[in-house]
């Protein structure tokens, strides 16, 4: 096979002349890491295949997709609200529509999934509602129509807060906590400090905050847990 003829020798590259550092002026400050990565991200975006433009308008999403929600929320099981309660809601809707074919059409449905005594026609304690009515609507006419002890308690609470619509202390109204401490002192024989009493919006919130306080952080290597009896109210 014929051999290729060697070409002419290549000339060596000429040296690149750079200005003296003093003539360049001050060096610019280094760019942040995020700015230095921007060109690389831009190259990736340019190299990615372009999607075809939609010919029809895109409908906005009506909610969150399952992948956009915390997986623990999706896997959670809430004992007091499940399939049985959903069936009870369907039966109640049929009863409200006048369906008499159900065997309990005359008696109705009694929900026993949670403790809700007033839903079972248990009369509420009148004193609590009278005090709330006087505190939320402290008009002279209303306070005059209330029993003396309820009106006095409402005025006592109104004197311990700036307004019933304002935020209170994070632990609760001080006057109410003082009354709780006095009650515990009479019942148990030892009065706890008022600052150690926290008022919560129900027993569930109190149990939840207590467990969060007792359980140490797993990221720190602790594997604490709480043993609860079954059945129990889910928290």
């Amino acid at each position: 096979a014929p051999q290729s003829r060697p070409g002419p020798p290549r000339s060596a590259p000429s040296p690149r002349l750079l200005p003296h550092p003093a003539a360049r002026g001050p060096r610019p400050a280094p760019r942040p890491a995020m700015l230095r990565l921007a060109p690389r991200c831009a190259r990736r975006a340019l190299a990615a295949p372009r999607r075809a433009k939609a010919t029809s308008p895109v409908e906005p999403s009506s909610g969150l997709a399952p992948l956009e929600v915390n997986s623990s929320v999706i896997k959670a099981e809430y004992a007091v609200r499940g399939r049985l309660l959903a069936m009870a809601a369907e039966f109640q809707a049929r009863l409200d529509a006048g369906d008499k074919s159900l065997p309990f059409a005359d008696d109705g449905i009694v929900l026993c999934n949670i403790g809700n005594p007033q839903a079972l026609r248990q009369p509420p304690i009148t004193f609590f509602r009278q005090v709330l009515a006087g505190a939320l609507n402290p008009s002279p006419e209303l306070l005059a129509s209330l029993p003396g002890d309820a009106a006095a308690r409402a005025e006592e609470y109104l004197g311990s807060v700036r307004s019933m619509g304002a935020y209170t202390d994070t632990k609760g109204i001080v006057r109410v906590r003082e009354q709780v401490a006095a009650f515990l002192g009479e019942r148990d024989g030892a009065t706890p400090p008022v600052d150690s009493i926290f008022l919560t919006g129900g027993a569930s919130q109190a149990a939840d905050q207590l467990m969060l306080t007792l359980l140490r952080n797993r990221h720190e290597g602790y594997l604490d847990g709480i043993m609860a009896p079954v059945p129990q109210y889910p928290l």
Side-chain angles (χ1 to χ4, degrees):
Q3 298 181 356
S4 59
R5 296 180 180 180
R10 298 181 179 179
S11 59
S14 59
R16 184 179 180 185
L17 300 179
L18 299 177
H20 192 271
R24 299 181 191 175
R27 298 181 61 184
R31 293 180 297 175
M34 185 177 297
L35 296 180
R36 291 200 299 267
L37 293 178
R40 182 179 301 177
C41 299
R43 289 196 298 269
R44 291 180 181 178
L46 293 176
R50 297 182 178 180
R51 297 181 180 180
K53 295 183 179 180
T55 56
S56 59
V58 180
E59 294 293 336
S61 176
S62 58
L64 293 176
L67 295 179
E68 299 173 335
V69 182
N70 191 332
S71 60
S72 300
V73 177
I74 298 178
K75 298 177 182 178
E77 296 181 0
Y78 195 43
V80 298
R81 298 190 182 276
R83 181 179 179 184
L84 187 61
L85 184 61
M87 294 176 58
E90 295 177 0
F91 288 147
Q92 186 63 51
R94 292 172 56 181
L95 293 177
D96 296 340
D99 188 354
K100 298 295 184 180
S101 62
L102 298 175
F104 45 83
D106 297 333
D107 299 328
I109 299 177
V110 178
L111 300 178
C112 300
N113 59 318
I114 57 176
N116 197 3
Q118 294 188 17
L120 303 179
R121 300 181 180 87
Q122 176 182 349
I125 300 178
T126 308
F127 178 77
F128 296 158
R129 297 197 171 191
Q130 291 174 343
V131 173
L132 287 176
L136 295 175
N137 184 19
S139 62
E141 295 79 11
L142 179 60
L143 292 176
S145 63
L146 296 176
D149 55 348
R153 183 67 63 88
E155 292 177 348
E156 180 181 0
Y157 291 154
L158 289 173
S160 61
V161 296
R162 294 183 179 180
S163 173
M164 292 302 296
Y167 287 113
T168 64
D169 187 270
T170 55
K171 299 179 182 180
I173 300 177
V174 178
R175 182 54 187 149
V176 178
R177 289 190 284 125
E178 292 174 351
Q179 294 174 346
V180 172
F183 166 77
L184 294 177
E186 295 177 1
R187 188 192 67 177
D188 303 334
T191 303
V194 177
D195 291 338
S196 65
I197 297 177
F198 291 75
L199 304 180
T200 61
S204 298
Q205 183 182 3
D208 183 63
Q209 293 181 357
L210 182 61
M211 288 190 294
L212 289 177
T213 303
L214 296 177
L215 293 177
R216 291 173 293 185
N217 197 338
R218 287 197 173 190
H219 298 289
E220 299 176 357
Y222 298 102
L223 297 177
D224 295 347
I226 292 180
M227 297 181 64
V230 176
Q232 54 88 23
Y233 190 84
L235 298 174

